Amino acid sequence: MTEYVSTTPGLYPLPDWAKDDLSDLKGHQKHDLISGDEGEEITAAYEEAREEVIGVQEEAGLDRIVEGQLRWDDMLAHPLAVHDAVETRGIVRYYDNNNFYREPVVQDDLGFSGDVANELEATAELTDGDLQAVLPGPYSLSDLATDEQYGDEAEFLGAIADFLEGEVDAFPEIETLFLLEPSLVENVPEDGQDERASEAIDQVASATDADVVVQPYWGALEEKVYAHLLDADIDAVGFDFVANQDDNLYNIQEYGATDDVALGLADGQNTLVEDPEAIRDRTEWVEGQLGVTEFETVYLTTNTETFYLPYSKYQEKLAVLAEAADLAEVTAA
């Protein structure tokens, strides 16, 4: 019987109090931030905010607990933006929306960082729930970065994959790893590059015994990209059914799917809060469209990060996902 798991792709909005406090603190410590030192007060504020969002997830009843990525001011570029081998430069538009990040320019060989592992270690101390790690996928991270060290697109993607593999290898025990790959949709890899992207994802996924979910979003993967992605040794592909139902269904019907699947059925950017019954019904609809296909695990999630939402709406979305998974379990039984 299918197991339904409620989770999110992470990248949560800051609690309202933390936005105000951190804005003031960062304004006073601008020089320290440029040099990479967040300072004790900023660190303490992030720690308090992390504890709060973990509590929100537990209260909602989510099946997987994420750290929240509240320090990730540069969004998916964060693991590079805080790396010693990287210089952050001007502000760059994050794909085609109104969020921005500092351009990470790789100027030296990418060695081990441990930044995300440290966040996960802190999270593990705060919860007894099943832990889920969140990382940018290697293709998206290479797409968002600028290379001034390796000099070759394929070599740079390989270096990013090596870097992420090392980071994952340092993680504490986790149940699930979400690799976020919006660039697979937004900046479609060309012939040859699509196969290398799949190989890079496979390399990162192989660094953990946890279940690995690759979640593209803001649309559907092109057919060749999807077919190559299925060659990677991953447990699930995520589908953004908010942005594109038809093409995502076509990919599954035409090329098959992994044994597990992540369904992005709640809108991570829209303040309208769905009913749990509606999410359960959409889940049944997707499964019905696929006929005989039955997944071992179905992850019910928002289609994108919830960073864009007001804090109260993000809290409501989490509760909806948890209840929808419970309803799906009951219906399936």
Side-chain angles (χ1 to χ4, degrees), residues 153-154 157 189-199 224 228:
E153 188 178 79
L157 176 60
E190 300 173 353
D191 286 347
Q193 192 181 33
D194 49 7
E195 186 174 0
R196 289 194 297 271
S198 176
E199 292 170 352
K224 277 192 64 180
H228 279 300

Side-chain angles (χ1 to χ4, degrees), residues 64-332:
R64 298 289 184 271
I65 304 297
V66 301
E67 188 270 338
Q69 295 71 51
L70 303 176
R71 290 175 53 243
W72 292 27
D73 291 343
D74 299 292
M75 303 297 285
L76 294 180
H78 170 85
L80 287 183
V82 297
H83 197 289
D84 290 341
V86 175
E87 178 187 8
T88 52
R89 294 183 184 166
I91 299 299
V92 182
R93 185 180 292 274
Y94 182 59
Y95 300 109
D96 61 351
N97 59 44
N98 289 323
N99 289 284
F100 301 86
Y101 66 99
R102 296 172 301 165
E103 178 190 14
V105 181
V106 178
Q107 298 182 316
D108 202 348
D109 287 346
L110 289 170
F112 176 71
S113 166
D115 182 79
V116 179
N118 290 337
E119 292 180 337
L120 287 168
E121 292 281 4
T123 305
E125 295 177 2
L126 295 171
T127 181
D128 294 326
D130 290 335
L131 197 60
Q132 175 180 301
V134 173
L135 276 178
Y139 179 73
S140 291
L141 190 56
S142 65
D143 178 43
L144 295 171
T146 297
D147 170 34
E148 290 187 354
Q149 174 65 16
Y150 297 94
D152 176 82
E153 188 178 79
E155 188 176 347
F156 184 50
L157 176 60
I160 295 289
D162 289 344
F163 162 63
L164 290 175
E165 179 185 18
E167 300 305 293
V168 171
D169 188 56
F171 285 177
E173 183 177 350
I174 58 174
E175 192 74 21
T176 312
L177 168 63
F178 261 51
L179 293 175
L180 308 186
E181 283 283 17
S183 286
L184 288 177
V185 173
E186 290 289 311
N187 188 15
V188 181
E190 300 173 353
D191 286 347
Q193 192 181 33
D194 49 7
E195 186 174 0
R196 289 194 297 271
S198 176
E199 292 170 352
I201 289 168
D202 181 89
Q203 178 182 343
V204 177
S206 297
T208 180
D209 293 330
D211 293 333
V212 178
V213 180
V214 176
Q215 180 151 334
Y217 44 94
W218 292 323
L221 297 174
E222 289 194 358
E223 292 179 51
K224 277 192 64 180
V225 176
Y226 180 68
H228 279 300
L229 181 58
L230 291 180
D231 291 333
D233 187 16
I234 57 177
D235 297 277
V237 176
F239 298 91
D240 181 350
F241 278 101
V242 174
N244 189 325
Q245 293 183 355
D246 294 343
D247 291 342
N248 278 315
L249 278 176
Y250 172 82
N251 280 340
I252 300 173
Q253 292 168 335
E254 186 70 17
Y255 298 99
T258 44
D259 291 337
D260 303 337
V261 67
L263 302 181
L265 294 170
D267 196 329
Q269 300 179 75
N270 194 315
T271 56
L272 178 65
V273 179
E274 298 86 352
D275 293 326
E277 293 81 4
I279 299 297
R280 187 270 316 273
D281 291 346
R282 292 173 194 174
T283 304
E284 290 182 350
W285 179 83
V286 171
E287 292 173 329
Q289 295 296 311
L290 300 178
V292 297
T293 300
E294 181 174 315
F295 299 103
E296 293 180 7
T297 303
V298 173
Y299 296 91
L300 298 185
T301 180
T302 53
N303 63 322
T304 68
E305 353 40 346
T306 54
F307 170 83
Y308 313 95
L309 295 175
Y311 191 70
S312 62
K313 296 295 184 181
Y314 132 82
Q315 291 176 289
E316 292 179 52
K317 295 268 185 177
L318 266 55
V320 164
L321 287 169
E323 187 173 345
D326 290 342
L327 289 171
E329 289 276 6
V330 170
T331 303

